[in-house]
Amino acid sequence: MEADRTEFPASTDHTGYIRKVDVEGDTMWALVDFDGDPICIANRKSSIYFFARNHDIKVVLLH
């Protein structure tokens, strides 16, 4: 199960962060903006990084 929300067009400059989410009982990874809205959700963490790179989204690390 993999969902992809491509809300941002290519060549934009946005920032987001990655967090683990539960989707209908499955552990997934989400790239979210700073309002907490998901930009992209995938079952593999690496897919999120590829999505961010392809859409010029900077991924920040939160502690």
Side-chain angles (χ1 to χ4, degrees):
M1 172 196 232
E2 188 165 330
D4 187 48
R5 291 179 55 194
T6 55
E7 297 176 357
F8 297 122
S11 300
T12 60
D13 187 10
H14 293 280
T15 304
Y17 62 96
I18 296 176
R19 70 178 201 196
K20 195 182 297 188
V21 295
D22 184 312
V23 178
E24 298 178 4
D26 293 329
T27 299
M28 309 274 289
W29 296 94
L31 175 64
V32 297
D33 63 18
F34 282 99
D35 291 328
D37 297 324
I39 300 166
C40 176
I41 299 172
N43 58 359
R44 293 186 333 179
K45 194 174 186 180
S46 62
S47 297
I48 299 298
Y49 287 105
F50 285 118
F51 177 89
R53 184 189 68 204
N54 290 336
H55 291 82
D56 294 329
I57 300 170
K58 295 177 186 174
V59 176
V60 298
L61 301 176
L62 300 176
H63 297 283

